[in-house]
Amino acid sequence: MTLAAAFRDRAGRALDGLAVRAFLVRPTSAGHDRAVELAALGEGRYRTTACWRLRGEWLLTIVARKDNETWQSTRRIHLR
């Protein structure tokens, strides 16, 4: 599975130089949570490829940090 994220400021400019991590939490069963780093691709884009064996519902939280600032977004996703 490929996980990608793009970051832009309020003016629409790409945000580069971020440390980006994704956290996947399995809300229906303990012990399967994962954390992965996303690699910078340039122009505010970040991506990783990983294998998740369990299908179904997950909570995906993406956290990006640079200097004193942190951005975070959480969504419920379904892996097939």
Side-chain angles (χ1 to χ4, degrees), residues 42-72:
E43 297 181 11
R45 296 177 297 126
Y46 299 80
R47 182 175 61 205
T48 192
T49 301
C51 179
W52 282 273
R53 292 181 182 94
L54 293 176
R55 304 300 181 219
E57 298 295 318
W58 291 82
L59 292 177
L60 168 64
T61 299
I62 296 180
V63 178
R65 291 187 172 94
K66 185 174 184 178
D67 301 328
N68 301 0
E69 296 187 87
T70 300
W71 298 269
Q72 179 174 314

